[in-house]
């Protein structure tokens, strides 16, 4: 059955294939267009470099009026990522605009990897290390990068 | 209730838990309750239906009395934060059903497009999607007065109705950004116009203030009269026209936090 959310997700998918942003990819799961798998490659010149981080994106019929739920499946060590993989990012919460599509969501998360916001921490340990002990922060992140090859 | 202890347990702050998710869940629950009980756009009701809401409130009763001298009916909208945009869209398009000349003008004058939308940073791809759906709804008006039922149905179908709201929000945002220098004066705190648009105008379910109304009515060149029904001393229900001095096409009733549609007695 075609609903506005599903129609829009088909368009999002088409756009993602025709005009793929660098360093991210995503596609609906085989039997359900409301659940997508995505991958974000760790941005260059950041401790996340070379990592391949998997995410799931779950949409509701209210998309694009409401944001989807995005979670990292890969283990992450990042000031704005919760232990369960949930992401604390304004555009996925109170600054969501229906003009964002999957491509915009993934590129925003990608830039969150480069520029964490330690002032609104979801992982207080990561936030603290990011601010006070960058070397230890990077070591923990690198461990996640290595873990991401195995997953 | 026997499960109250369990609820207490659940409410205990747990730093490991995703608090954003919990807050979102609660919001969703409240929204669901509202959406199950109030239509996006209601039926036209006699103005007297407001009286029953205020039977034991003298100030409001007087004001309803005053309103009933000027308006004959009211149409309620769902209080979901989109009420201004939805009420405006429905009331204006409904008024065009009987005024095909004005309708042709509205459609033709590029009124319906967001001038320089892409330049303002709106992604073209998604903008088109909203524009197309908006025009689909607008075109129904071309069928004349008999299309009233169809318009009513579309506005109660969230797939269309919400897209119309999104599109009007983008038009308002575009207007604010285009005249940013002017509108900056009306934004409290140190937020820029762009931040304000991203936080208060473009997101769905964000309530509207004067500034939203001024921006939308100026962008579309459609006059709006808002009747403010509050606890103020005057027994009259005060009116504000947006933009000032314009020919009024849409009448709205404002009660703190919410807009409904009004229909004047003489028309």
């Amino acid at each position: 059955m075609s609903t506005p959310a599903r129609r829009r997700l088909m368009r999002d998918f088409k756009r993602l294939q025709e005009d793929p942003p660098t360093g991210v990819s995503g596609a609906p799961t085989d039997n359900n267009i409301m659940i997508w798998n995505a991958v974000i490659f760790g941005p260059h010149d950041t401790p996340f470099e070379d990592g391949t981080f998997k995410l799931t994106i779950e949409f509701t019929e209210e998309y694009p009026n409401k944001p989807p739920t995005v979670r990292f499946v890969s283990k992450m060590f990042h000031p704005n990522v919760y232990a369960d993989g949930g992401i604390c990012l304004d555009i996925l919460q109170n600054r969501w605009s229906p003009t964002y599509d999957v491509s915009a969501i993934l590129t925003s998360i990608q830039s969150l990897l480069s520029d964490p916001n330690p002032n609104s921490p979801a992982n207080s340990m990561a936030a603290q290390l990011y601010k006070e002990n960058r070397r230890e922060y990077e070591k923990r992140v690198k461990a996640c990068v290595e873990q991401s090859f195995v997953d | 209730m026997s499960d109250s202890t369990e609820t207490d347990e659940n409410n205990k702050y747990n730093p490991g838990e995703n608090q954003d998710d919990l807050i979102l869940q609660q919001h969703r629950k409240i929204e669901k309750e509202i959406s199950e009980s109030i239509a996006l756009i209601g039926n036209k009701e006699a103005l007297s239906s407001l009286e029953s809401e205020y039977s034991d409130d003298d100030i409001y009763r007087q004001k309803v009395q005053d309103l009933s001298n000027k308006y004959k009916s009211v149409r309620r909208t769902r209080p979901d934060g989109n009420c201004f945009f939805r009420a405006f869209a429905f009331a204006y398009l409904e008024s065009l059903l009987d005024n095909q000349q004005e309708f042709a003008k509205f459609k033709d004058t590029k009124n319906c497009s967001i001038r320089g939308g892409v330049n303002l940073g709106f992604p073209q791809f998604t903008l088109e999607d909203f524009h197309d759906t908006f025009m689909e709804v607008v075109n129904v008006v071309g069928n004349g007065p008999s299309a009233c039922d169809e318009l009513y149905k579309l506005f109660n179908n969230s797939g269309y109705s919400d897209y119309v709201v999104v599109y009007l929000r983008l038009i308002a945002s575009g207007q604010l950004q285009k005249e940013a220098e002017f509108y900056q004066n009306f934004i409290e705190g140190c937020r820029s116009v762009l931040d304000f648009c991203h936080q208060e105008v473009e997101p769905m379910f964000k309530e509207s203030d004067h500034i939203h109304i001024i921006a939308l009515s100026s962008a579309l060149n459609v006059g709006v009269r808002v009747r403010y029904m509050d606890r103020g001393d005057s027994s009259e229900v005060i009116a504000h026209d947006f933009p000032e001095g314009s020919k009024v096409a849409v009448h709205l009733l404002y009660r703190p936090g919410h807009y409904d549609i009004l229909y004047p007695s003489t028309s």
Side-chain angles (χ1 to χ4, degrees), chain A residues 11 66 71 82 95 99, chain B residues 20-21 31 126 129 162 198:
Chain A
R11 293 187 57 160
K66 296 262 181 76
R71 266 177 218 288
Y82 288 96
R95 281 185 67 149
T99 58
Chain B
D20 291 338
D21 269 3
E31 283 162 8
T126 42
D129 196 24
D162 287 347
H198 286 163

Side-chain angles (χ1 to χ4, degrees), chain A residues 9-65:
Chain A
L9 284 168
M10 285 306 292
R11 293 187 57 160
D12 279 21
F13 184 41
K14 202 164 154 235
R15 166 143 189 258
L16 202 57
Q17 284 177 312
E18 285 169 0
D19 184 15
T22 339
V24 304
S25 73
T29 50
D30 282 343
N31 42 20
N32 189 355
I33 192 159
M34 306 302 279
I35 300 177
W36 289 42
N37 291 320
V39 175
I40 293 179
F41 299 96
H44 292 302
D45 301 324
T46 75
F48 291 94
E49 185 165 1
D50 298 331
T52 51
F53 304 104
K54 296 191 183 72
L55 306 94
T56 56
I57 315 177
E58 274 183 59
F59 301 88
T60 65
E61 289 291 347
E62 288 169 295
Y63 181 76
N65 300 317

